[in-house]
């Protein structure tokens, strides 16, 4: 399979346009992005993933992918956290640790997955990113909160996060075989697009307040090194190990490799804003990796697919 860079430009420019709208909203309308971050975390994200989990029809294998990526993201963050503390301040190291376990698998990666993968591959991809999202709002949120809160306060903040309960509710509804009204599911269809739009706009809103003093090359270098230096090869290693143990479908292998080459997660900014830990620095790092994505993703995917014998 040959990766066409042109196929990636549509999703990229759309997302960058959303960032630009956020920047204009902050500069011209003086909109405060913090209430929007709260809205994303406590309402839009839970409903988005509740709907996605129900429509995906969770099976034991799909849920195994979710659990596996939750554990993998948590382990990466736990490994990076003590290293980051040696070189960065507590808040910056907490933000780097959070970002190390995740990527822009939803806002950016999902449109690309829909271009590159068949429907079965997209479903596999969705259940993988569900595990990463659960990491963001549990272990990742805790690591971020520990940058300035005590253990008890950090755990209290996690318990308040509704995405955990939305995930459990979806499993209960699906496990009991309950069929929700069609009108209800149709009404929830607005949330995925809203999640993407506001998630990218909030980066632009944060950038609208950035000054040159917020540019931290050491922090940005750490983010780029983890995102584009560690994750692609980690996913390649995962694919090679799985291929050695069992027959691995090409669509699952490609979904795993794509997870390793997406840019930094926009939720880095969302969570940082909710907790008050350097959202400006997070926004700059997210923007830098997103701008590099159209060049790096085709090169990385072609290289990794060749090494893994995929396609």
């Amino acid at each position: 399979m040959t990766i066409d860079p042109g196929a990636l430009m549509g999703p990229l420019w759309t997302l960058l346009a959303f960032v630009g709208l956020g920047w204009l909203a902050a500069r011209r309308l003086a909109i405060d992005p913090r209430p929007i971050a709260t809205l994303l975390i406590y309402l839009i994200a839970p409903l988005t993933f509740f709907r996605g989990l129900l429509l995906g029809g969770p099976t034991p294998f799909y849920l195994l992918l979710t659990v596996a990526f939750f554990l993998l993201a948590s382990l990466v963050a736990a490994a990076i956290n003590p290293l980051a503390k040696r070189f960065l301040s507590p808040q910056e190291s907490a933000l780097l640790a959070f970002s190390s376990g995740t990527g822009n698998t939803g806002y950016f990666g999902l449109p690309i997955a829909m271009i590159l993968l068949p429907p079965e591959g997209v479903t596999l991809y969705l259940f993988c990113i569900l595990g990463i999202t659960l990491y963001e709002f549990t272990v990742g949120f805790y690591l971020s909160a520990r940058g300035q809160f005590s253990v008890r306060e950090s755990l209290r903040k996690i318990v308040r996060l509704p995405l955990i309960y939305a995930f459990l509710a979806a499993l209960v509804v699906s496990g009991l075989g309950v069929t929700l009204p069609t009108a209800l599911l149709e009404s929830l269809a607005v949330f995925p697009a809203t999640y993407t739009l506001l998630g990218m706009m909030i980066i632009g809103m944060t950038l609208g307040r950035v000054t040159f003093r917020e540019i931290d090359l050491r922090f940005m270098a750490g983010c780029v090194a983890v995102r584009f230096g560690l994750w692609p090869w980690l996913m390649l290693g995962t694919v090679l190990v799985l291929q050695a143990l069992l027959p691995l479908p090409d669509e699952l292998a490609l979904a795993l490799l794509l997870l390793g080459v997406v840019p930094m997660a926009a939720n880095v900014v969302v969570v940082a804003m909710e907790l008050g830990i350097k959202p400006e620095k997070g926004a700059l790092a997210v923007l830098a990796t997103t701008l590099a994505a159209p060049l790096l993703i085709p090169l990385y995917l072609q290289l990794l697919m060749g090494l893994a014998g995929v396609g």
Side-chain angles (χ1 to χ4, degrees), residues 2-23:
T2 301
I3 304 299
D4 179 14
L8 306 181
M9 296 308 293
L12 171 71
W13 287 113
T14 300
L15 295 174
L16 289 180
F18 293 161
V19 173
L21 287 175
W23 184 86

Side-chain angles (χ1 to χ4, degrees), residues 58-192:
T59 66
F61 177 67
Y62 290 161
L63 293 177
L64 179 61
L65 289 175
T66 297
V67 173
F69 268 90
F70 169 79
L71 294 175
L72 179 62
S74 300
L75 288 173
V76 170
I80 294 296
N81 190 38
L83 293 175
K85 288 180 178 179
R86 297 175 59 184
F87 301 101
L88 300 171
S89 68
Q91 288 191 354
E92 291 169 341
S93 63
L95 191 58
L96 177 57
F98 169 78
S99 70
S100 67
T102 184
N104 201 339
T105 54
Y107 308 139
F108 188 90
L110 185 56
I112 297 174
M114 296 177 70
I115 294 171
L116 299 179
L117 296 170
E120 170 64 16
V122 174
T123 301
L124 293 168
Y125 180 87
L126 282 170
F127 277 89
C128 290
I129 68 173
L130 179 60
I132 295 174
T133 303
L134 286 174
Y135 152 79
E136 289 180 355
F137 291 100
T138 54
V139 176
F141 198 91
Y142 173 80
L143 291 174
S144 300
R146 287 291 291 126
Q148 67 179 42
F149 298 107
S150 67
V151 173
R152 177 177 294 182
E153 290 171 327
S154 300
L155 291 174
R156 187 180 296 122
K157 287 180 176 293
I158 290 178
V159 171
R160 292 174 52 205
L161 293 174
L163 188 135
I164 302 170
Y165 305 107
F167 176 73
L168 295 175
L171 291 183
V172 170
V173 170
S174 179
L176 294 177
V178 176
T179 302
L180 296 182
T182 302
L184 175 60
L185 290 176
E186 289 178 350
S187 67
L188 293 176
V190 301
F191 285 95

Side-chain angles (χ1 to χ4, degrees), residues 253-266:
L254 183 53
L256 297 178
L257 294 177
L258 178 58
L259 288 166
V261 300
V262 294
M264 277 181 64

Side-chain angles (χ1 to χ4, degrees), residues 180-219:
L180 296 182
T182 302
L184 175 60
L185 290 176
E186 289 178 350
S187 67
L188 293 176
V190 301
F191 285 95
T194 305
Y195 180 65
T196 299
L197 173 63
L198 294 181
M200 296 307 292
M201 281 187 67
I202 206 168
I203 299 174
M205 293 178 190
T206 307
L207 289 172
R209 301 177 167 200
V210 168
T211 64
F212 285 107
R213 292 193 303 273
E214 269 83 34
I215 298 177
D216 187 335
L217 295 180
R218 185 169 56 174
F219 173 77

